[in-house]
């Protein structure tokens, strides 16, 4: 695994290379919107109906072990309602997702996402 950092418009963004794929720090990107709570920015983005449709489709195309049955249930019963909240940890554990990699805690590097997904996080 190769780790690195790149500067994008004055912002330092970390990345990881995992199994020949680039994963970019959503946490670093989200700090543009809210430096004190980037996880809230990520959670809000993941809870958006259109964002959910995008990263769900990415998983269906790229992840043979994705729990698409549970995803369809959530899409029908929760997505689009105010009560719907998706977090990186929930996405990883309940859906066997590989496109978003959560990390939490004091010494965490933050949440990373496959470059296809990370580039969809709009911050401004």
């Amino acid at each position: 695994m190769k780790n690195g950092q790149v500067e994008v418009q004055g912002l330092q963004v970390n990345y990881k290379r995992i199994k020949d794929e680039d994963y970019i720090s959503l946490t670093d990107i989200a700090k543009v919107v809210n430096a004190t709570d980037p996880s809230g920015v990520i959670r809000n983005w993941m809870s958006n109906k259109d964002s959910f449709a995008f990263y769900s489709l990415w998983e269906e195309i790229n992840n043979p072990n994705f729990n698409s049955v549970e995803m369809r249930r959530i899409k029908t019963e929760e997505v689009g309602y105010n009560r719907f909240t998706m977090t990186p940890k929930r996405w990883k554990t309940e859906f066997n997702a590989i496109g978003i990699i959560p990390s939490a805690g004091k010494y965490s590097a933050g949440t990373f996402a496959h470059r296809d997904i990370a580039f969809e996080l709009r911050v401004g």
Side-chain angles (χ1 to χ4, degrees):
M1 177 169 55
K2 178 183 174 187
N3 297 334
Q5 193 174 68
V6 63
E7 184 175 332
V8 180
Q9 297 180 341
L11 174 68
Q12 295 298 320
V13 178
N14 289 292
Y15 66 88
K16 294 180 181 184
R17 187 106 174 128
I18 302 170
K19 296 182 183 176
D20 293 327
E21 297 289 340
D22 294 323
Y23 283 74
I24 299 169
S25 173
L26 293 180
T27 302
D28 291 343
I29 296 169
K31 286 179 182 177
V32 170
V33 175
N34 189 334
T36 59
D37 185 21
S39 64
V41 174
I42 296 167
R43 185 176 52 254
N44 287 342
W45 173 75
M46 289 187 73
S47 300
N48 176 280
K49 181 180 178 180
D50 295 330
S51 299
F52 182 85
F54 177 80
Y55 61 78
S56 294
L57 178 60
W58 187 93
E59 292 286 350
E60 287 187 300
I61 293 169
N62 295 285
N63 182 358
N65 297 315
F66 179 60
N67 187 348
S68 58
V69 172
E70 180 66 8
M71 182 274 296
R72 285 184 179 78
R73 186 191 68 74
I74 295 293
K75 187 175 181 179
T76 303
E77 296 177 8
E78 293 184 38
V79 175
Y81 294 97
N82 289 336
R83 69 179 182 267
F84 174 62
T85 301
M86 184 56 66
T87 65
K89 183 179 178 181
R90 179 182 181 197
W91 185 242
K92 176 76 174 163
T93 58
E94 290 182 24
F95 301 91
N96 197 33
I98 61 171
I100 298 174
I101 301 172
S103 180
K106 185 175 182 178
Y107 301 105
S108 161
T111 297
F112 284 75
H114 186 277
R115 69 177 178 270
D116 295 342
I117 297 170
F119 291 150
E120 289 297 311
L121 177 62
R122 304 286 188 235
V123 291

